[in-house]
Amino acid sequence: MALHRKDFFGLRDLTADDIRYILSTAETMKYILNQKNKKVPHLQGKSVIILFYEQSARAKLSYELAAQHLSANVVDMTNSAHSMERESLQDMGQLVDQMGADFIILRHPMAGAARLLAECVEASVINAGDGYNENPGQSLLDLLTIKERKGSFEGLKVAIIGDLLHSRVAKSNIWGLTKLGAEVCVSGPPTLLLPGIEKFGVQVHYDVREAVNQADVILTTRMRMEAQDKTFLPSLDEYKRFFRIDHNLLRYAKEDAIVMHPGPIQRGIEISDGVIDSPQCIINDQIANSVAVRMAMFYILSQMGGTLA
């Protein structure tokens, strides 16, 4: 299946078939990772530049390992990015581009930063998170994990709980899940629900129990520092009282419901300790899928030319 892409920006403009193809490729990459020799030559001779203007050790490590398993040369320019903040993103991108980069992995606090960079470089740009817009890599590993556990997306009820205003992962997951046929319900403090979120094709519930009622999957967001501003949320104690995933709330979901979190998790705030340590919480499965998904993204873009929007 030819996607004809140069860049990877997000899930919003992808088709269901595009997403299924990426997940299928990631499954092949998981097979490779399960071998004694995890290195394959698909990106041999290629250069991958990691350019993170926001810190995320977990995401950066998964991209580094994915590129190395595909035999690419990896250069982490995160520290250079922070020291050159006065230089425009376009200038920084062209600097890297002129040095022969084949891929640029960009995490940036500005929404649309990956698209902006891609317009002025020949290298393939992968969006590792742009402002409050999207985080496609994390979403795809979430989707792969759900597929492994539930087999299919058709007819699944997925509840996304928490801060949907600031969560780029939640937005990417909404785009992906709805395209794949899942029923998506959202709940969270009214001040932390994205205005007009109903237009995303989701059901909005202000009572979290209604959102998780008979849910197959519960996805929680990370409470960011911005959300702790009293203009958004009076206190974290109030959030925990109404929206934390604990065993009392899980009684409303299906018995085999799974609980997921993009990490890093704040124990006792988004999810109770008891649920985190239970078999229903599959955060470790998500982490295990992170490298395979990034390998799939690299591999697909290396075969294409165009834009994965």
Side-chain angles (χ1 to χ4, degrees), residues 19 26 53 73 145 147 173-174 198-199 220 240 242 271 303:
I19 298 171
Y53 287 81
N73 299 312
T145 307
K147 182 183 179 186
N173 273 329
I174 288 172
E198 298 89 349
K199 297 177 183 178
T220 61
K240 290 189 290 184
F242 291 105
I271 308 176
Q303 307 297 306

Side-chain angles (χ1 to χ4, degrees), residues 73-86:
N73 299 312
V74 183
V75 179
D76 181 3
M77 290 191 63
T78 296
N79 291 333
S80 298
H82 288 295
S83 66
M84 299 174 68
E85 285 180 348
R86 292 184 179 180

Side-chain angles (χ1 to χ4, degrees), residues 174 178 184 186 193-206:
I174 288 172
T178 53
V184 180
V186 301
L193 292 178
L194 190 68
I197 195 169
E198 298 89 349
K199 297 177 183 178
F200 284 45
V202 303
Q203 297 179 29
V204 180
H205 297 284
Y206 295 101

Side-chain angles (χ1 to χ4, degrees), residues 21-228:
Y21 178 59
I22 297 167
L23 296 181
S24 175
T25 305
E27 289 172 336
T28 301
M29 296 303 169
K30 279 198 75 172
Y31 175 80
I32 292 171
L33 290 174
N34 287 329
Q35 307 305 306
K36 287 185 178 180
N37 181 8
K38 298 177 174 62
K39 182 163 285 193
V40 291
H42 298 312
L43 294 187
Q44 192 162 4
K46 303 290 186 181
S47 296
V48 173
I49 306 298
I50 296 178
L51 197 58
F52 273 36
Y53 287 81
E54 293 179 332
Q55 293 295 335
S56 177
R58 294 153 62 104
K60 188 150 67 72
L61 178 60
S62 66
Y63 279 109
E64 286 178 353
L65 287 174
Q68 288 170 0
H69 288 321
L70 293 171
S71 301
N73 299 312
V74 183
V75 179
D76 181 3
M77 290 191 63
T78 296
N79 291 333
S80 298
H82 288 295
S83 66
M84 299 174 68
E85 285 180 348
R86 292 184 179 180
E87 190 161 0
S88 74
L89 178 61
Q90 296 99 316
D91 288 342
M92 187 68 168
Q94 288 178 356
L95 169 68
V96 173
D97 203 46
Q98 291 300 313
M99 293 182 177
D102 297 288
F103 296 90
I104 302 174
I105 315 303
L106 179 69
R107 174 165 290 204
H108 199 280
M110 181 181 71
R115 289 181 185 271
L116 179 65
L117 178 61
E119 290 174 357
C120 59
V121 298
E122 294 294 326
S124 290
V125 176
I126 295 179
N127 178 18
D130 60 331
Y132 299 144
N133 182 33
E134 284 210 55
N135 186 342
Q138 176 67 45
S139 175
L140 286 165
L141 73 87
D142 289 348
L143 295 175
L144 179 61
T145 307
I146 293 171
K147 182 183 179 186
E148 289 177 341
R149 283 298 186 112
K150 298 298 181 180
S152 172
F153 296 93
E154 290 289 341
L156 279 186
K157 179 176 179 180
V158 181
I160 302 180
I161 311 299
D163 178 2
L164 278 79
L165 181 64
H166 301 110
S167 175
R168 52 196 174 204
V169 178
K171 297 179 184 74
S172 291
N173 273 329
I174 288 172
W175 295 125
L177 287 163
T178 53
K179 291 174 191 292
L180 293 171
E183 172 193 346
V184 180
C185 298
V186 301
S187 185
T191 51
L192 294 176
L193 292 178
L194 190 68
I197 195 169
E198 298 89 349
K199 297 177 183 178
F200 284 45
V202 303
Q203 297 179 29
V204 180
H205 297 284
Y206 295 101
D207 185 336
V208 69
R209 294 170 296 184
E210 295 179 3
V212 303
N213 185 45
Q214 294 301 301
D216 299 282
V217 180
I218 300 173
L219 288 162
T220 61
T221 69
R222 188 171 193 273
M223 293 300 294
R224 297 170 64 102
M225 291 302 295
E226 294 90 337
Q228 298 178 35

